[in-house]
Structure formats: C-alpha cells, structure tokens
Amino acid sequence: MHRGLVALSASAVAAIYMAGYLRTQSADAGIGASAAALSPGVTSRAAIATNPPAGATPTAIPPTVQRQAPVAARAAPTVQPTSPAVQRIAPQPTAPPAPTVSQQAQAALKDGTFTGQGSSRRGDVWVSVQVQSGRIADVTITRSTLQYPLRDIAGLPSQVVQRQSAQVDIVSRATYSSQAFRQAVSQALSKAA
C-alpha cells in the first residue's frame, strides 16, 4: 500500500475519533454533574495533573474526574414468621440413585461371549465381550467402519476388563470412535445381564 494512502487513512481515523471525543465530552460532564447531585456522599473528586498547553496561563484549573467511592454491602434482611401457623417441614429422605446399566451388568453377568454394535457419525464398531465367572474376561473389537484408524482406540478393551465396566475414557482426537466403542460394549453387557 502506498505510504501517502496509509498516512491519509490514519489521519482520517484520528480526525473522526477526535470529533467524537469533543462531541461527547460535554455530555459526559453533564452526566457526571447530575450523578453528583443525586448522590453527593457517594462520589469524590480527584484532580488530574496535566501540563498546560503552550501559551496558556498557568492559573488554568485542571479538569476533574468523578470517581465512585466503594459502598459497603448490605446484609440481607431476616424474615421472621408473622403468624404461629407457619410450620417447618422436615426434609424427606431421598431414595438412593438407581444403579446404572454397567452396575447392573456387573452385578449379574452370565458366562459366555456376547456381541454388541455401537454407532457414531464417524462409523460403527462391533465388539465381542467374553464373560467368565460373572466377570468380564476379554473384550475384542471384531469389526469397524470408522473413518479413523483403530489404533486410536486400541487401549479401550483393556480398560473395560480392568474397570469391569463400559465406562472407559474418551480418547482425545477419537471422541466419536470412543463413544461408538462404549455403546457397543454397553449393548454386549446388556445381553449378558
């Protein structure tokens, strides 16, 4: 870009900025004055040290800026009951949370080999889950139509065996593949329940 054009553009931006500043300066002073009139005890004035412009008399009064002083927080009002008919209700005991599918499957798994399929927007995964003595003994990925290589989720079958659950970690950069794997293992474990 030509230097003259850059200088002209910068000058135009500076001129527009200065015109806006000068145009709104009086409105800013008016707002500050009305705020001081509304709450005289809340604001304080602080002088700004400025160098007087060349040729100005040194007796010029520097501009002032209004700053709001901090206000202490108010305590919340306490509510007193107004009639003796107000009663307190004791909290009701809550029921324990319902067990998840993996907890149910872990509690009562039938021995055998069970298959499951999981789908995602990046493809499908088929798994085979082997159960021995009511515990997950082995998990194998038998088929995949994923867009990404299986090596990204290759560590998930061992996590299933280790945790005895379909709740495995979501692999970074293989989120959809991990979700499809989880879904496939959950489906196989539901068949084993």
Side-chain angles (χ1 to χ4, degrees), residues 22-40:
L22 293 174
R23 186 173 175 104
T24 59
Q25 188 176 15
S26 62
D28 183 39
I31 291 171
S34 65
L38 292 176
S39 55

Side-chain angles (χ1 to χ4, degrees), residues 65-156:
V65 175
Q66 290 187 357
R67 298 183 189 210
Q68 187 168 0
V71 178
R74 295 181 185 172
T78 57
V79 179
Q80 300 292 333
T82 57
S83 69
V86 176
Q87 297 178 357
R88 292 190 177 241
I89 300 173
Q92 299 295 325
T94 59
T100 63
V101 174
S102 62
Q103 291 171 341
Q104 291 172 348
Q106 182 179 351
L109 294 177
K110 298 182 284 188
D111 288 351
T113 302
F114 303 93
T115 59
Q117 175 189 357
S119 299
S120 74
R121 61 179 9 177
R122 302 290 184 218
D124 298 341
V125 175
W126 287 264
V127 298
S128 172
V129 177
Q130 185 179 3
V131 179
Q132 294 176 345
S133 303
R135 294 185 50 83
I136 301 170
D138 187 39
V139 177
T140 307
I141 299 173
T142 56
R143 184 174 171 219
S144 168
T145 60
L146 295 171
Q147 293 177 350
Y148 302 106
L150 278 178
R151 70 174 175 262
D152 293 343
I153 59 171
L156 296 182

